[in-house]
PDB file of all heavy atoms in Angstrom:
ATOM      1  N   GLU S 602     -52.404  15.089 -84.434  1.00 93.00           N
ATOM      2  CA  GLU S 602     -52.504  14.547 -85.793  1.00 93.00           C
ATOM      3  C   GLU S 602     -51.497  13.427 -86.004  1.00 93.00           C
ATOM      4  O   GLU S 602     -51.803  12.389 -86.594  1.00 93.00           O
ATOM      5  CB  GLU S 602     -52.278  15.669 -86.816  1.00 93.00           C
ATOM      6  CG  GLU S 602     -53.400  16.694 -86.878  1.00 93.00           C
ATOM      7  CD  GLU S 602     -53.045  17.889 -87.762  1.00 93.00           C
ATOM      8  OE1 GLU S 602     -51.866  17.951 -88.210  1.00 93.00           O
ATOM      9  OE2 GLU S 602     -53.915  18.753 -87.987  1.00 93.00           O
ATOM     10  N   SER S 603     -50.256  13.643 -85.519  1.00 95.00           N
ATOM     11  CA  SER S 603     -49.219  12.620 -85.654  1.00 95.00           C
ATOM     12  C   SER S 603     -49.591  11.365 -84.878  1.00 95.00           C
ATOM     13  O   SER S 603     -49.439  10.239 -85.371  1.00 95.00           O
ATOM     14  CB  SER S 603     -47.883  13.176 -85.162  1.00 95.00           C
ATOM     15  OG  SER S 603     -46.878  12.182 -85.200  1.00 95.00           O
ATOM     16  N   ALA S 604     -50.109  11.545 -83.633  1.00 94.00           N
ATOM     17  CA  ALA S 604     -50.498  10.392 -82.819  1.00 94.00           C
ATOM     18  C   ALA S 604     -51.633   9.623 -83.481  1.00 94.00           C
ATOM     19  O   ALA S 604     -51.650   8.381 -83.472  1.00 94.00           O
ATOM     20  CB  ALA S 604     -50.910  10.863 -81.420  1.00 94.00           C
ATOM     21  N   LEU S 605     -52.598  10.350 -84.088  1.00 94.00           N
ATOM     22  CA  LEU S 605     -53.714   9.676 -84.746  1.00 94.00           C
ATOM     23  C   LEU S 605     -53.227   8.873 -85.947  1.00 94.00           C
ATOM     24  O   LEU S 605     -53.650   7.730 -86.158  1.00 94.00           O
ATOM     25  CB  LEU S 605     -54.757  10.714 -85.172  1.00 94.00           C
ATOM     26  CG  LEU S 605     -55.983  10.150 -85.911  1.00 94.00           C
ATOM     27  CD1 LEU S 605     -56.726   9.144 -85.039  1.00 94.00           C
ATOM     28  CD2 LEU S 605     -56.916  11.293 -86.331  1.00 94.00           C
ATOM     29  N   GLU S 606     -52.320   9.448 -86.731  1.00 95.00           N
ATOM     30  CA  GLU S 606     -51.787   8.723 -87.889  1.00 95.00           C
ATOM     31  C   GLU S 606     -51.090   7.432 -87.456  1.00 95.00           C
ATOM     32  O   GLU S 606     -51.282   6.362 -88.061  1.00 95.00           O
ATOM     33  CB  GLU S 606     -50.801   9.613 -88.647  1.00 95.00           C
ATOM     34  CG  GLU S 606     -51.444  10.787 -89.376  1.00 95.00           C
ATOM     35  CD  GLU S 606     -50.401  11.704 -89.993  1.00 95.00           C
ATOM     36  OE1 GLU S 606     -49.195  11.359 -89.930  1.00 95.00           O
ATOM     37  OE2 GLU S 606     -50.783  12.769 -90.531  1.00 95.00           O
ATOM     38  N   LEU S 607     -50.279   7.504 -86.408  1.00 96.00           N
ATOM     39  CA  LEU S 607     -49.564   6.327 -85.926  1.00 96.00           C
ATOM     40  C   LEU S 607     -50.537   5.303 -85.355  1.00 96.00           C
ATOM     41  O   LEU S 607     -50.391   4.084 -85.578  1.00 96.00           O
ATOM     42  CB  LEU S 607     -48.532   6.727 -84.869  1.00 96.00           C
ATOM     43  CG  LEU S 607     -47.350   7.560 -85.357  1.00 96.00           C
ATOM     44  CD1 LEU S 607     -46.556   8.098 -84.171  1.00 96.00           C
ATOM     45  CD2 LEU S 607     -46.444   6.725 -86.262  1.00 96.00           C
ATOM     46  N   ALA S 608     -51.543   5.777 -84.607  1.00 95.00           N
ATOM     47  CA  ALA S 608     -52.517   4.870 -84.007  1.00 95.00           C
ATOM     48  C   ALA S 608     -53.324   4.135 -85.069  1.00 95.00           C
ATOM     49  O   ALA S 608     -53.569   2.925 -84.964  1.00 95.00           O
ATOM     50  CB  ALA S 608     -53.444   5.645 -83.070  1.00 95.00           C
ATOM     51  N   LEU S 609     -53.749   4.863 -86.109  1.00 94.00           N
ATOM     52  CA  LEU S 609     -54.517   4.216 -87.172  1.00 94.00           C
ATOM     53  C   LEU S 609     -53.691   3.166 -87.899  1.00 94.00           C
ATOM     54  O   LEU S 609     -54.176   2.078 -88.213  1.00 94.00           O
ATOM     55  CB  LEU S 609     -55.032   5.277 -88.146  1.00 94.00           C
ATOM     56  CG  LEU S 609     -56.190   6.143 -87.642  1.00 94.00           C
ATOM     57  CD1 LEU S 609     -56.474   7.272 -88.616  1.00 94.00           C
ATOM     58  CD2 LEU S 609     -57.435   5.284 -87.431  1.00 94.00           C
ATOM     59  N   ARG S 610     -52.429   3.489 -88.148  1.00 95.00           N
ATOM     60  CA  ARG S 610     -51.576   2.503 -88.822  1.00 95.00           C
ATOM     61  C   ARG S 610     -51.342   1.293 -87.914  1.00 95.00           C
ATOM     62  O   ARG S 610     -51.419   0.146 -88.378  1.00 95.00           O
ATOM     63  CB  ARG S 610     -50.249   3.146 -89.204  1.00 95.00           C
ATOM     64  CG  ARG S 610     -49.278   2.154 -89.822  1.00 95.00           C
ATOM     65  CD  ARG S 610     -48.037   2.829 -90.336  1.00 95.00           C
ATOM     66  NE  ARG S 610     -46.906   1.920 -90.343  1.00 95.00           N
ATOM     67  CZ  ARG S 610     -45.666   2.246 -90.687  1.00 95.00           C
ATOM     68  NH1 ARG S 610     -45.408   3.496 -91.044  1.00 95.00           N
ATOM     69  NH2 ARG S 610     -44.703   1.361 -90.644  1.00 95.00           N
ATOM     70  N   ALA S 611     -51.084   1.524 -86.640  1.00 95.00           N
ATOM     71  CA  ALA S 611     -50.884   0.405 -85.713  1.00 95.00           C
ATOM     72  C   ALA S 611     -52.136  -0.450 -85.610  1.00 95.00           C
ATOM     73  O   ALA S 611     -52.060  -1.682 -85.506  1.00 95.00           O
ATOM     74  CB  ALA S 611     -50.488   0.934 -84.334  1.00 95.00           C
ATOM     75  N   ALA S 612     -53.299   0.187 -85.636  1.00 92.00           N
ATOM     76  CA  ALA S 612     -54.555  -0.555 -85.550  1.00 92.00           C
ATOM     77  C   ALA S 612     -54.720  -1.515 -86.722  1.00 92.00           C
ATOM     78  O   ALA S 612     -55.266  -2.612 -86.575  1.00 92.00           O
ATOM     79  CB  ALA S 612     -55.731   0.424 -85.504  1.00 92.00           C
ATOM     80  N   ARG S 613     -54.218  -1.093 -87.890  1.00 92.00           N
ATOM     81  CA  ARG S 613     -54.367  -1.940 -89.079  1.00 92.00           C
ATOM     82  C   ARG S 613     -53.279  -3.008 -89.184  1.00 92.00           C
ATOM     83  O   ARG S 613     -53.501  -4.069 -89.776  1.00 92.00           O
ATOM     84  CB  ARG S 613     -54.352  -1.061 -90.325  1.00 92.00           C
ATOM     85  CG  ARG S 613     -55.540  -0.097 -90.409  1.00 92.00           C
ATOM     86  CD  ARG S 613     -55.578   0.619 -91.753  1.00 92.00           C
ATOM     87  NE  ARG S 613     -56.746   1.476 -91.866  1.00 92.00           N
ATOM     88  CZ  ARG S 613     -56.753   2.779 -91.608  1.00 92.00           C
ATOM     89  NH1 ARG S 613     -55.633   3.388 -91.234  1.00 92.00           N
ATOM     90  NH2 ARG S 613     -57.863   3.485 -91.723  1.00 92.00           N
ATOM     91  N   THR S 614     -52.100  -2.723 -88.642  1.00 94.00           N
ATOM     92  CA  THR S 614     -50.980  -3.650 -88.831  1.00 94.00           C
ATOM     93  C   THR S 614     -50.828  -4.628 -87.653  1.00 94.00           C
ATOM     94  O   THR S 614     -50.793  -5.840 -87.852  1.00 94.00           O
ATOM     95  CB  THR S 614     -49.668  -2.882 -89.029  1.00 94.00           C
ATOM     96  OG1 THR S 614     -49.447  -1.988 -87.916  1.00 94.00           O
ATOM     97  CG2 THR S 614     -49.711  -2.073 -90.317  1.00 94.00           C
ATOM     98  N   VAL S 615     -50.746  -4.109 -86.434  1.00 95.00           N
ATOM     99  CA  VAL S 615     -50.561  -5.007 -85.289  1.00 95.00           C
ATOM    100  C   VAL S 615     -51.850  -5.222 -84.506  1.00 95.00           C
ATOM    101  O   VAL S 615     -51.887  -6.023 -83.573  1.00 95.00           O
ATOM    102  CB  VAL S 615     -49.453  -4.495 -84.351  1.00 95.00           C
ATOM    103  CG1 VAL S 615     -48.135  -4.411 -85.079  1.00 95.00           C
ATOM    104  CG2 VAL S 615     -49.805  -3.142 -83.747  1.00 95.00           C
ATOM    105  N   ARG S 616     -52.884  -4.475 -84.859  1.00 94.00           N
ATOM    106  CA  ARG S 616     -54.226  -4.641 -84.283  1.00 94.00           C
ATOM    107  C   ARG S 616     -54.279  -4.379 -82.783  1.00 94.00           C
ATOM    108  O   ARG S 616     -55.075  -4.981 -82.066  1.00 94.00           O
ATOM    109  CB  ARG S 616     -54.780  -6.038 -84.587  1.00 94.00           C
ATOM    110  CG  ARG S 616     -54.991  -6.302 -86.063  1.00 94.00           C
ATOM    111  CD  ARG S 616     -55.614  -7.645 -86.321  1.00 94.00           C
ATOM    112  NE  ARG S 616     -54.744  -8.732 -85.909  1.00 94.00           N
ATOM    113  CZ  ARG S 616     -55.026  -9.609 -84.943  1.00 94.00           C
ATOM    114  NH1 ARG S 616     -56.169  -9.519 -84.283  1.00 94.00           N
ATOM    115  NH2 ARG S 616     -54.191 -10.569 -84.632  1.00 94.00           N
ATOM    116  N   GLY S 617     -53.430  -3.466 -82.334  1.00 95.00           N
ATOM    117  CA  GLY S 617     -53.468  -3.121 -80.922  1.00 95.00           C
ATOM    118  C   GLY S 617     -52.867  -1.756 -80.674  1.00 95.00           C
ATOM    119  O   GLY S 617     -51.808  -1.427 -81.216  1.00 95.00           O
ATOM    120  N   VAL S 618     -53.542  -0.931 -79.858  1.00 96.00           N
ATOM    121  CA  VAL S 618     -53.063   0.396 -79.503  1.00 96.00           C
ATOM    122  C   VAL S 618     -53.078   0.526 -77.985  1.00 96.00           C
ATOM    123  O   VAL S 618     -54.106   0.263 -77.331  1.00 96.00           O
ATOM    124  CB  VAL S 618     -53.931   1.499 -80.133  1.00 96.00           C
ATOM    125  CG1 VAL S 618     -53.517   2.875 -79.612  1.00 96.00           C
ATOM    126  CG2 VAL S 618     -53.837   1.453 -81.656  1.00 96.00           C
TER     127      VAL S 618
END
Side-chain angles (χ1 to χ4, degrees):
E602 290 172 353
S603 176
L605 179 60
E606 290 174 5
L607 292 169
L609 286 172
R610 176 173 153 183
R613 295 188 177 96
T614 56
V615 299
R616 296 184 296 116
V618 173

